[in-house]
Amino acid sequence: MVIRLIDQSGASAAFDYLQPRDLGEATTDAALENGYVYDSIPAGRTDHIIEHDGSPYALTYSRTYRYVSLLRWHPIESEMQPARLAPRRDDIWAAPRSARLAERTVTL
């Protein structure tokens, strides 16, 4: 469904569709508990990665494998600083759990 949305309306429409499924701390806690935490945006050779400037989200998708993943960067607590606008290399990326469950095609 989201791949079709990307094809018809572009990646921004997919961001708009998936972002409300991010439940904030509940999403972060679920990602930490289930091991969906990455040092960098996970992507394979067939993946497209889209990031919006200043947004904490990254969208990855593959038409070949028919999946979409929305990830949100989360600063490491010991290095949290106010007003960070962009993710840094040492931040972690967490896939919102509700997006994974809603799509059933999101696998990384």
Side-chain angles (χ1 to χ4, degrees), residues 38-86:
Y38 312 95
D39 293 328
S40 60
I41 299 171
R45 292 185 310 166
T46 65
D47 291 346
H48 299 274
I49 301 172
I50 300 174
E51 299 177 76
H52 287 295
D53 290 336
S55 171
Y57 293 97
L59 182 76
T60 61
Y61 67 95
S62 170
R63 285 185 179 91
T64 304
Y65 294 106
R66 308 287 305 161
Y67 74 85
V68 176
S69 177
L70 182 69
L71 298 110
R72 175 175 38 90
W73 69 272
H74 184 75
I76 296 172
E77 284 191 34
S78 64
E79 299 179 6
M80 288 179 73
Q81 298 173 352
R84 282 202 11 217
L85 298 177

Side-chain angles (χ1 to χ4, degrees), residues 4-39:
R4 189 174 343 143
L5 181 64
I6 291 169
D7 290 341
Q8 292 174 350
S9 303
S12 291
F15 271 100
D16 293 343
Y17 176 77
L18 293 173
Q19 281 178 348
R21 287 153 174 78
D22 181 358
L23 303 176
E25 286 301 312
T27 296
T28 301
D29 292 344
L32 292 169
E33 181 179 321
N34 295 306
Y36 293 105
V37 178
Y38 312 95
D39 293 328

